Amino acid sequence: MDWDLKEELRDCLVAAAPYGGPIALLRNPGRKEKPASARPVLEIYSASGVPLASLLWKSGPVVSLGWSAEEELLCVQEDGVVLVYGLHGDFRRHFSMGNEVLQNRVLDARIFHTEFGSGVAILTGAHRFTLSANVGDLKLRRMPEVPGLQSAPSCWTTMCQDRVAHILLAVGPDLYLLDHAACSAVTPPGLAAGVSSFLQMAVSFTYRHLALFTDTGYIWMGTASLKEKLCEFNCNIRAPPKQMVWCSRPRSKERAVVVAWERRLMVVGDAPEGIQFVLDEDSYLVPELDGVRIFSRSTHEFLHEVPVASEEIFKIASMAPGALLLEAQKEYEKESQKADEYLREIQELGQLPQAVQQCIEAAGHEHWPDMQKSLLRAASFGKCFLDRFPPDSFVRMCQDLRVLNAIRDYHIGIPLTYSQYKQLTIQVLLDRLVLRRLYPLAIQICEYLRLPEVQGVSRILAHWACYKVQQKDVSDEDVARAINQKLGDTPGVSYSDIAARAYGCGRTELAIKLLEYEPRSGEQVPLLLKMKRSKLALSKAIESGDTDLVFTVLLHLKNELNRGDFFMTLRNQPMALSLYRQFCKHQELETLKDLYNQDDNHQELGSFHVRASYAAEERIEGRVAALQAAADAFYKAKNEFAAKATEDQMRLLRLQRRLEDELGGRFLDLSVHDTVTTLILSGQNKRAEQLARDFRIPDKRLWWLKLTALADLEDWEELEKFSKSKKSPIGYLPFVEICMKQHNKYEAKKYASRVGPEQKVKALLLVGDVAQAADVAIEHRNEAEMSLVLSHCTGATDGATADKIQRARAQAQKK
């Protein structure tokens, strides 16, 4: 590795892209103490450690890093915002995982890949999961709640089953599978007894298999559907592993899992014993389609199952056709007659075509050019003795290996295996070379493989289109149609760039026609604004649904047009008008008032004046004036309720100011109820009653307010006078309850005797008179009341009362 790391890998957030992709490192401040002023540095390297980008991290704390399928770096922050960076550290975009994630913060995150694209799964501080299966088309999905989950799961992972993303998590000895509809408890078949916790889990690269590491040191391996157990392995280590990944080749019957601890690596599978490696440095595992990449500060290695063809050729004392053919070719180079003996032996068995194919296939899986050449020479030697062996596979392998050797070069740093290369396809590989700005190599590969020059043709067509727009003897309509027919939807061609060239040539109308073919509104709008076609730009921005783009155009229009024309333009675009109103609510309140006046929107204008009376005015006169304007607007809007309420508020404000001047204290901005309560607490009972009459407070509510206030004052004499002033509209049980709440049983007993018959028992129980409550209940012959009294009978003191009730019950049953 070419990098010169200043941090250990364990002190960094690490993300490595599959298919020999780049590596991103970000020091995690939570794992290693450093001065608060030292900001983390985000570094991006090729797989060989060649630096690609380095930038000082100035955003929020990062929880997780991951690469998308397009090799964009996704940085998940604690606040749920995901920042997206290019391979060279250029900021691309950002998106949020929702308000719930923002409020509860991010505990953990996973970047995963499905057939739909790259997804993000978030575990929040509320122990809920939020997931998006495709960050390119962000659709957030809140996963169902796990019952009883009070802390973070011991381990969890994402899976893709039946084209749907799921989450598998472990809580103690239980496993739960979350899908879009439900949370289901699942049990791995054949799991060994005694498991009290799952410490790690891993899903295979293709989501077909699952491995679980338990606290007993056992590793359970089975299908991802948890319906079939494949094998189980006891590694005799109970410490939780740092990483656990699958290491299997496509279509192979062998299954293996790689488990990593500090400086120790173990490969386990069907065999009774595993393979152990002692690591010299802290290492990081990257699962691949056909193995595991293992990199550390000094090395980058690839661990994989030996391919069948290679095993048959190179195993000791192999008599496989490919092994004999390789020996025959070596002896031929030595001019030894043994070459003929080996060759005849293969031919007599009729296995020469198989031998040639084995050597070709084995060459594809070799990484050293010398060994590749040796195997291909053997295949070429064997072909000479076959009459009708098709050369396609041999030629294709030679081409593929030349491409692979070129991209595996240390300075390029894309260590693809043959299986990965075939899965990735040459088109994607070329895209990745262009993404790395390795244009000469990409062009050389296109020329060497004689591919349809997709990338080259795109550039040629773009240059042709730019030349075409300069032909002023052809009409704008014909030029635009000709360019579209030639280019179509060719990848890599930007119609906005061609339109910009047309505008530079003075052909504004042609530029507008070309922009009609540009699918990205973000590319259309800036050029339209530059061409002084602001109204068309506004229409395009609204069609895009991008509010930021709409705001950009609106601000441009505001500076370009006079006030009247600007407002008239907004009236013709309801969506733009709505967005501009939102903008004005936060930035330009006076403009918002003008908009309401122009539209005769009296309802919103009234609301505006109400908000202004509280937000802007401090003097009572100004506030009342604003409320008066609001009331007038509400009347014009024929909203009499709002108008009357506003007038009542004006009366209340004037009254509160007068009370403050006369009595002192704080009355302004209190509600009517709070004002009445404050007056009572201040001993102003008559003023309180007058206020209640003025604002038509119901008697029941007034009695509750006065009862509560007098009890808080502990003015029991006044409370008794109040209770006798007239018949209580709320009854006398509330008096008992309030007195008991203030721990005054003496006063409570006064009102208990005045409580009506239907609430008598409850009142007596509140004051602790269980015996009398029993008498009343028996007198009423009310079963519910007798049961209530019995529930309050405790110990020997109330034994006689309980017996009395039981006898009354028995007599009632006899009757």
Side-chain angles (χ1 to χ4, degrees), residues 325-601:
L325 181 58
L326 180 62
E327 288 299 319
Q329 195 275 334
K330 289 179 180 178
E331 295 298 330
Y332 175 75
E333 288 184 348
K334 296 177 185 177
E335 300 181 357
S336 169
Q337 64 180 11
K338 289 184 179 180
D340 183 61
E341 295 175 5
Y342 288 137
L343 194 59
R344 286 182 182 277
E345 184 177 349
I346 302 171
Q347 288 177 319
E348 288 172 359
L349 296 173
Q351 295 179 332
L352 189 54
Q354 181 183 351
V356 173
Q357 199 61 47
Q358 276 187 348
C359 288
I360 294 173
E361 184 180 346
H365 295 294
E366 291 296 329
H367 283 251
W368 296 107
D370 289 343
M371 185 57 69
Q372 295 169 359
K373 292 177 183 178
S374 179
L375 288 165
L376 289 174
R377 286 195 193 101
S380 180
F381 177 69
K383 281 196 307 101
C384 296
F385 300 94
L386 292 171
D387 294 332
R388 295 182 180 179
F389 186 85
D392 296 350
S393 60
F394 179 82
V395 174
R396 195 180 307 114
M397 183 59 74
C398 290
Q399 293 176 334
D400 291 342
L401 285 177
R402 188 167 182 184
V403 171
L404 284 171
N405 289 338
I407 63 172
R408 288 169 182 167
D409 181 84
Y410 183 80
H411 298 94
I412 306 302
I414 307 179
L416 286 179
T417 64
Y418 181 75
S419 299
Q420 295 168 17
Y421 170 70
K422 286 301 181 183
Q423 180 73 18
L424 197 63
T425 72
I426 185 63
Q427 287 77 16
V428 176
L429 176 60
L430 289 172
D431 290 342
R432 296 194 170 189
L433 290 173
V434 171
L435 190 65
R436 287 162 173 76
R437 303 172 184 170
L438 300 170
Y439 307 113
L441 178 59
I443 293 171
Q444 287 176 355
I445 290 176
C446 286
E447 293 174 349
Y448 172 67
L449 296 178
R450 297 179 183 177
L451 297 174
E453 297 181 6
V454 177
Q455 301 295 330
V457 168
S458 299
R459 293 187 179 90
I460 293 172
L461 288 175
H463 284 293
W464 169 82
C466 292
Y467 166 74
K468 193 75 174 174
V469 299
Q470 299 176 26
Q471 297 179 343
K472 297 187 178 181
D473 56 335
V474 185
S475 69
D476 295 338
E477 187 73 29
D478 291 341
V479 172
R481 188 185 307 110
I483 290 175
N484 179 247
Q485 287 175 351
K486 196 74 173 177
L487 299 183
D489 297 326
T490 305
V493 173
S494 172
Y495 281 98
S496 61
D497 290 343
I498 303 170
R501 178 65 65 90
Y503 176 65
C505 295
R507 304 187 67 173
T508 303
E509 293 301 321
L510 175 58
I512 293 172
K513 292 182 184 297
L514 288 171
L515 282 176
E516 292 294 328
Y517 302 118
E518 175 59 60
R520 297 167 295 175
S521 299
E523 298 293 328
Q524 290 178 315
V525 170
L527 186 56
L528 287 170
L529 292 175
K530 186 178 179 181
M531 294 188 296
K532 308 296 183 183
R533 298 301 178 99
S534 304
K535 294 182 181 179
L536 181 57
L538 180 60
S539 298
K540 294 293 183 184
I542 291 171
E543 288 175 10
S544 73
D546 187 340
T547 55
D548 290 338
L549 204 57
V550 176
F551 277 127
T552 301
V553 179
L554 287 175
L555 293 176
H556 185 89
L557 279 171
K558 183 184 175 186
N559 295 328
E560 184 183 73
L561 304 176
N562 61 53
R563 195 177 186 86
D565 292 341
F566 177 58
F567 285 172
M568 188 60 65
T569 302
L570 291 180
R571 291 186 69 179
N572 296 328
Q573 296 286 359
M575 178 184 172
L577 179 59
S578 176
L579 288 173
Y580 189 66
R581 282 174 180 165
Q582 294 297 324
F583 169 78
C584 291
K585 282 182 180 179
H586 299 285
Q587 302 289 337
E588 299 178 3
L589 291 175
E590 286 303 314
T591 305
L592 182 64
K593 184 172 71 172
D594 294 342
L595 282 171
Y596 290 146
N597 276 319
Q598 186 185 32
D599 294 341
D600 291 331
N601 192 340

Side-chain angles (χ1 to χ4, degrees), residues 242-259:
K242 185 175 65 174
Q243 278 185 280
M244 182 171 70
V245 297
W246 281 85
C247 180
S248 298
R249 295 182 65 82
R251 295 181 296 279
S252 172
K253 295 182 180 179
E254 299 294 332
R255 291 173 291 270
V257 172
V258 180
V259 191

Side-chain angles (χ1 to χ4, degrees), residues 39-298:
R39 290 182 177 272
V41 176
L42 177 64
E43 298 172 325
I44 301 175
Y45 300 90
S46 72
S48 58
V50 175
L52 298 178
S54 177
L55 60 146
L56 194 65
W57 189 259
K58 297 181 179 180
S59 191
V62 178
V63 175
S64 180
L65 299 176
W67 291 94
S68 71
E70 296 80 17
E71 291 194 324
E72 290 183 326
L73 182 62
L74 307 180
C75 307
V76 184
Q77 297 188 150
E78 279 187 357
D79 58 3
V81 174
V82 182
L83 305 181
V84 183
Y85 288 88
L87 197 63
H88 295 279
D90 51 310
F91 178 75
R92 298 286 178 83
R93 63 187 187 280
H94 75 279
F95 57 89
S96 173
M97 293 301 289
N99 288 330
E100 182 186 356
V101 176
L102 173 62
Q103 293 171 4
N104 296 303
R105 319 301 283 174
V106 178
L107 288 183
D108 198 5
R110 299 279 191 279
I111 312 296
F112 60 96
H113 306 288
T114 68
E115 57 187 296
F116 307 109
S118 302
V120 179
I122 298 288
L123 172 62
T124 69
H127 309 119
R128 296 291 300 270
F129 290 90
T130 297
L131 178 145
S132 174
N134 184 3
V135 297
D137 181 18
L138 192 67
K139 294 179 181 177
L140 299 178
R141 185 152 50 95
R142 189 185 186 199
M143 306 302 280
E145 187 174 1
V146 180
L149 184 60
Q150 300 297 324
S151 59
S154 55
C155 56
W156 65 280
T157 190
T158 55
M159 299 194 300
C160 188
Q161 298 178 0
D162 301 326
R163 300 168 64 87
V164 178
H166 297 71
I167 288 178
L168 181 70
L169 67 148
V171 182
D174 302 318
L175 290 175
Y176 295 95
L177 186 66
L178 305 183
D179 58 21
H180 65 282
C183 170
S184 307
V186 291
T187 303
L191 183 67
V195 174
S196 59
S197 176
F198 295 93
L199 304 181
Q200 188 67 272
M201 57 178 63
V203 183
S204 64
F205 196 84
T206 56
Y207 294 106
R208 293 179 182 174
H209 299 116
L210 173 70
L212 301 170
F213 188 96
T214 68
D215 59 347
T216 58
Y218 276 83
I219 301 176
W220 180 93
M221 286 171 270
T223 58
S225 62
L226 290 167
K227 294 180 179 179
E228 179 185 353
K229 175 183 175 182
L230 301 177
C231 61
E232 195 171 47
F233 186 88
N234 184 8
C235 63
N236 295 316
I237 300 175
R238 298 197 174 191
K242 185 175 65 174
Q243 278 185 280
M244 182 171 70
V245 297
W246 281 85
C247 180
S248 298
R249 295 182 65 82
R251 295 181 296 279
S252 172
K253 295 182 180 179
E254 299 294 332
R255 291 173 291 270
V257 172
V258 180
V259 191
W261 291 270
E262 287 291 336
R263 306 296 172 88
R264 178 188 293 186
L265 203 70
M266 182 180 292
V267 184
V268 302
D270 294 337
E273 292 187 4
I275 307 170
Q276 294 200 37
F277 299 93
V278 177
L279 305 175
D280 296 330
E281 297 177 303
D282 190 26
S283 300
Y284 187 84
L285 309 183
V286 186
E288 292 282 5
L289 175 71
D290 53 349
V292 179
R293 286 160 56 199
I294 307 170
F295 63 85
S296 64
R297 294 181 64 176
S298 59

Side-chain angles (χ1 to χ4, degrees), residues 620-638:
I620 187 67
E621 294 79 7
R623 294 180 61 179
V624 170
L627 287 174
Q628 184 61 56
D632 295 340
F634 286 138
Y635 275 122
K636 291 179 182 179
K638 297 182 180 180

Side-chain angles (χ1 to χ4, degrees), residues 672-682 688 705-706 708-709 712:
V672 173
H673 290 181
D674 290 342
T675 304
V676 171
T677 302
T678 305
L679 286 171
I680 296 171
L681 291 174
S682 303
L705 291 173
K706 196 164 184 179
T708 306
D712 288 341

